[in-house]
């Protein structure tokens, strides 16, 4: 279905992909404008539809495209043998930052796809979302060694608080990436900053 689109030269293809991810991530499926996507891509709307068929099919294609990137650059690189929660979180969060560095809108798009209830795409997205949720939970947070936690705390609640804290930091980083030119972001500085936050959390929750 998307053979014409996939055969485009890399620059034009990336221009369309990035414009579409940004538009859908910002406005959701129903409110996203194909006029804006075409304009931001630097092509006419008729030519864009020559490549992408229609809005619904393109949205679903983008979801699959994003999941392929996450599988190759994120999920498959998680070391599931690492049982220390903070080491695992450092690993997954730095992988996420590297993906954001290359694809700034990918996580926002996935979030929008996870929350959308548009009748136009919801049925087709449902099975895709279930696979994504299952993969992320099993691969990222399974088999964690809880023996290092302080004895007087509720470990499950502590883990949830840690996830929320790290999630909030990741959102902050994503905001910085989107508001600045990617090449101007000092990712080594972000990594060092993140290590500092992890160390403070470790002091609070570990023995």
């Amino acid at each position: 279905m998307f053979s014409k689109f996939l055969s485009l030269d890399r620059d034009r293809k990336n221009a369309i992909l990035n414009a579409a991810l940004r538009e859908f991530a910002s406005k959701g499926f129903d409110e996203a404008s194909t006029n804006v996507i075409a304009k931001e891509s630097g092509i006419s709307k008729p030519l864009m539809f020559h490549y992408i068929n229609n809005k619904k099919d393109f949205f679903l294609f983008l979801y699959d495209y994003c999941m392929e990137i996450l599988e190759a650059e994120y999920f498959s690189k998680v070391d599931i043998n690492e049982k220390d929660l903070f080491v695992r979180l450092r690993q997954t969060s730095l992988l996420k930052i590297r993906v954001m560095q290359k694809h700034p809108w990918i996580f926002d798009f996935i979030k929008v796809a996870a929350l959308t209830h548009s009748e136009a795409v919801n049925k087709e997205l449902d099975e895709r979302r279930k696979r994504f949720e299952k993969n992320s939970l099993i691969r990222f947070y399974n088999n964690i060694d809880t023996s290092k936690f302080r004895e007087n705390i509720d470990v499950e609640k502590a883990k949830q608080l840690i996830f929320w804290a790290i999630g909030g930091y990741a959102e902050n980083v994503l905001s910085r990436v989107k508001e600045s030119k990617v090449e101007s972001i000092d990712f080594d500085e972000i990594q060092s900053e993140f290590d500092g936050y992890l160390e403070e959390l470790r002091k609070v929750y570990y023995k």
Side-chain angles (χ1 to χ4, degrees):
M1 183 183 296
F2 282 86
S3 57
K4 292 177 182 177
F5 176 75
L6 293 171
S7 66
L8 286 170
D9 67 83
R10 185 180 64 180
D11 289 344
R12 172 161 289 191
K13 182 168 60 179
N14 285 342
I16 298 172
L17 286 170
N18 290 331
L21 287 172
R22 182 167 57 248
E23 180 68 4
F24 282 123
S26 301
K27 300 177 182 176
F29 176 78
D30 289 326
E31 299 301 319
S33 168
T34 52
N35 288 324
V36 171
I37 295 172
K39 181 178 179 180
E40 294 296 321
S41 303
I43 61 175
S44 68
K45 186 175 178 179
L47 181 58
M48 185 181 74
F49 278 111
H50 173 72
Y51 296 133
I52 69 167
N53 194 34
N54 59 54
K55 181 180 175 181
K56 173 186 172 181
D57 288 345
F58 192 39
F59 186 85
L60 295 172
F61 168 83
L62 285 171
Y63 187 91
D64 292 337
Y65 165 80
C66 289
M67 294 310 301
E68 286 176 9
I69 289 176
L70 292 181
E71 178 62 35
E73 302 182 24
Y74 194 38
F75 293 127
S76 67
K77 294 186 178 182
V78 176
D79 180 7
I80 59 174
N81 295 314
E82 176 53 64
K83 299 188 185 308
D84 184 286
L85 176 62
F86 288 104
V87 177
R88 179 85 65 88
L89 279 171
R90 183 181 190 274
Q91 177 194 158
T92 56
S93 297
L94 292 179
L95 282 171
K96 184 173 184 177
I97 289 171
R98 291 191 188 103
V99 173
M100 288 191 299
Q101 184 178 7
K102 295 170 65 177
H103 315 280
W105 291 96
I106 193 170
F107 289 102
D108 273 359
F109 176 84
I110 290 295
K111 185 188 298 183
V112 164
L115 297 175
T116 189
H117 296 293
S118 171
E119 292 183 5
V121 294
N122 203 50
K123 182 178 179 181
E124 290 87 346
L125 277 176
D126 191 50
E127 201 57 42
R128 290 169 165 89
R129 287 185 294 216
K130 288 177 182 176
R131 289 198 301 268
F132 171 70
E133 291 165 4
K134 181 179 180 181
N135 283 344
S136 62
L137 290 173
I138 291 177
R139 296 195 201 185
F140 283 14
Y141 305 122
N142 199 29
N143 299 322
I144 294 296
D145 178 9
T146 60
S147 65
K148 296 181 181 182
F149 281 87
R150 295 181 183 275
E151 295 176 355
N152 62 337
I153 65 173
D154 184 316
V155 171
E156 291 306 311
K157 288 182 179 177
K159 285 164 63 178
Q160 189 60 65
L161 287 169
I162 293 166
F163 295 155
W164 284 337
I166 299 306
Y169 177 76
E171 287 297 317
N172 178 272
V173 171
L174 182 55
S175 237
R176 281 186 266 171
V177 169
K178 288 187 296 189
E179 290 170 3
S180 308
K181 292 183 178 179
V182 173
E183 57 269 20
S184 70
I185 301 292
D186 188 338
F187 284 92
D188 289 334
E189 181 180 339
I190 289 174
Q191 180 172 328
S192 176
E193 178 185 70
F194 179 59
D195 285 340
Y197 287 126
L198 279 181
E199 183 56 33
E200 293 305 311
L201 287 169
R202 188 179 283 108
K203 290 176 187 177
V204 172
Y205 292 106
Y206 271 15
K207 297 173 184 175

